[in-house]
Amino acid sequence: MSPGGLGEFEFIERLRRRCDPNGALVRGIGDDCAVARVPAGELLLTSTDLLIEDVHFRTAWIDMHDLGRKSVSVNVSDVAAMGGQPLSLFLALGIPADLSLEDLDRFTEGVLSACRDYGAVLAGGDTCRSPRGLFISVTVEGAVPDGLQVTRDGARPGDLVWVSGTLGDSALALRELLAGRQPPEECLRRHHDPRARVELGRTLAAQRFASAMIDISDGLFSDLGHILDASGCGAVLRRDLLPLSPAFLEFQQHQPEVNDLALTGGEDYELLFTSPPQHAEAVRALATPDLPLTEIGQITVSTDGLRIVDAQGTLRMPTRSGFDHFA
Ligand code: ADP
Ligand code: MG
């Protein structure tokens, strides 16, 4: 690879010089392995995401700095969904020869800025040439106090279903981009620079408020389905209670069909969790003006399946379900 004539080792050296050292790292970029400490009494969390040009992103639509940030955020979001703190990130890149050095620098600057936001450090990776298109693989390692990790299988009948933030903004932006139109700016920001809800996830875990949790990457409908499958439960979801942003609501006035996107659209990266009803007031008190928390339904027995209703209790199922790469 030689973006702007830069060789692999020069690229790695540039990256190494821009990385902050971090207390958890005994050894970062530049040796055969990163060497890190897991805090005493905590469990190691690890998750990987792959982002492929023209499958997950189009360089014509997303700025390289945002792409770097998003690559980190979508990965860190998985740690947030377990109630953990991200510590180290690993970045493997397949770089096409036609990527400019300027674009590569903006991308790595975005990666490093997101790492700083989450209190994590870039600890290593791999760098190769790609014959066509940019490949980005990000792995995150995080930690959670032993016993506080929040898995998908802990939901029980009677638990309330909660979601953070607002739903459908990212999917609305993608819909407009695909149609060749300019999306509302607030929705576009959510699509290009989502924020992983690390603090919220950690608090819910530390207080033992969440019985099950997942981050919404494939869409509420699909991701709630994962919690229900893992927990062996059903749920009733109130469509009319789904939290929508002002930009989404305004758009929906003219095109009501976008309402389905709050249920089935992907890439919200909000936290979806279940919580026993006795914690409802305490959970509500965790909401902030920047990050609302909304009760959107209740867990039931598995034979009920997933029922989506309105305020009158009438069934309101979506017309299409979440994104499946193999569909
Ligand atoms: P090796 O041949 O042992 O795999 P490399 O030459 O690939 O070593 O990497 C040297 C160092 O640079 C390692 O610490 C590796 O983790 C780091 N590194 C390589 N590519 C990247 C990258 N894209 N982002 C972060 N660190 C990287
Ligand atoms: Mg290598």
Side-chain angles (χ1 to χ4, degrees):
M1 67 140 232
S2 60
L6 204 66
E8 176 187 341
F9 298 111
E10 289 166 288
F11 169 73
I12 294 172
E13 178 54 23
R14 273 165 85 90
L15 206 52
R16 191 189 63 75
R17 275 190 265 117
R18 288 152 77 189
C19 286
D20 316 318
N22 171 294
L25 274 193
V26 179
R27 192 48 76 88
I29 292 175
D31 216 313
D32 295 316
C33 287
V35 183
R37 288 193 183 84
V38 179
E42 303 206 1
L43 301 176
L44 181 67
L45 303 170
T46 311
S47 180
T48 296
D49 283 291
L50 182 59
L51 291 95
I52 299 175
E53 185 170 348
D54 294 334
V55 177
H56 299 93
F57 63 90
R58 296 201 193 170
T59 50
W61 290 346
I62 188 165
D63 170 83
M64 291 301 283
H65 191 269
D66 282 343
L67 182 60
R69 288 184 56 85
K70 184 170 180 174
S71 303
V72 171
S73 293
V74 303
N75 197 229
V76 166
S77 182
D78 287 316
V79 171
M82 301 297 290
Q85 166 63 39
L87 300 173
S88 301
L89 273 107
F90 297 84
L91 174 67
L93 295 174
I95 303 175
D98 59 1
L99 189 74
S100 72
L101 181 57
E102 192 193 349
D103 277 349
L104 190 58
D105 275 343
R106 286 181 60 71
F107 173 81
T108 50
E109 200 42 62
V111 166
L112 294 173
S113 91
C115 285
R116 283 191 295 272
D117 284 359
Y118 298 119
V121 66
L122 184 62
D126 201 17
T127 307
C128 301
R129 185 177 125 69
S130 158
R132 199 190 65 81
L134 176 61
F135 286 75
I136 306 163
S137 168
V138 187
T139 298
V140 63
E141 288 180 349
V144 64
D146 191 352
L148 292 186
Q149 69 276 11
V150 187
T151 51
R152 297 177 179 183
D153 57 3
R156 295 294 173 261
D159 286 357
L160 302 177
V161 180
W162 294 82
V163 70
S164 66
T166 59
L167 298 171
D169 300 301
S170 175
L172 175 56
L174 179 60
R175 172 189 190 262
E176 293 306 289
L177 288 171
L178 285 167
R181 295 184 294 258
Q182 184 63 28
E185 190 52 34
E186 297 85 339
C187 296
L188 198 59
R189 289 316 305 157
R190 290 289 309 271
H191 185 60
H192 285 162
D193 190 14
R195 302 298 158 91
R197 307 306 189 185
V198 174
E199 261 186 64
L200 174 64
R202 287 184 66 182
T203 305
L204 290 169
Q207 306 286 332
R208 300 182 193 268
F209 288 160
S211 50
M213 186 152 63
I214 192 169
D215 64 317
I216 304 180
S217 53
D218 298 334
L220 172 64
F221 184 79
S222 175
D223 288 318
L224 179 57
H226 293 317
I227 286 186
L228 300 182
D229 288 344
S231 300
C233 289
V236 188
L237 203 65
R238 281 277 300 274
R239 258 198 102 141
D240 54 306
L241 297 182
L242 300 187
L244 305 175
S245 71
F248 190 99
L249 283 168
E250 193 193 319
F251 196 96
Q252 182 182 267
Q253 284 190 341
H254 308 288
Q255 300 187 51
E257 73 277 11
V258 299
N259 188 262
D260 267 1
L261 296 176
L263 254 181
T264 61
E267 298 202 284
D268 295 305
Y269 298 106
E270 294 297 346
L271 291 179
L272 173 67
F273 60 97
T274 60
S275 178
Q278 67 264 29
H279 298 314
E281 282 320 303
V283 170
R284 214 179 303 283
L286 296 176
T288 64
D290 286 340
L291 194 61
L293 296 176
T294 311
E295 185 193 322
I296 57 172
Q298 192 157 33
I299 297 296
T300 61
V301 293
S302 66
T303 45
D304 288 355
L306 173 53
R307 296 175 64 236
I308 297 168
V309 301
D310 62 16
Q312 285 71 47
T314 312
L315 268 186
R316 293 272 182 254
M317 298 304 277
T319 50
R320 112 177 216 290
S321 68
F323 189 75
D324 178 344
H325 275 274
F326 295 116

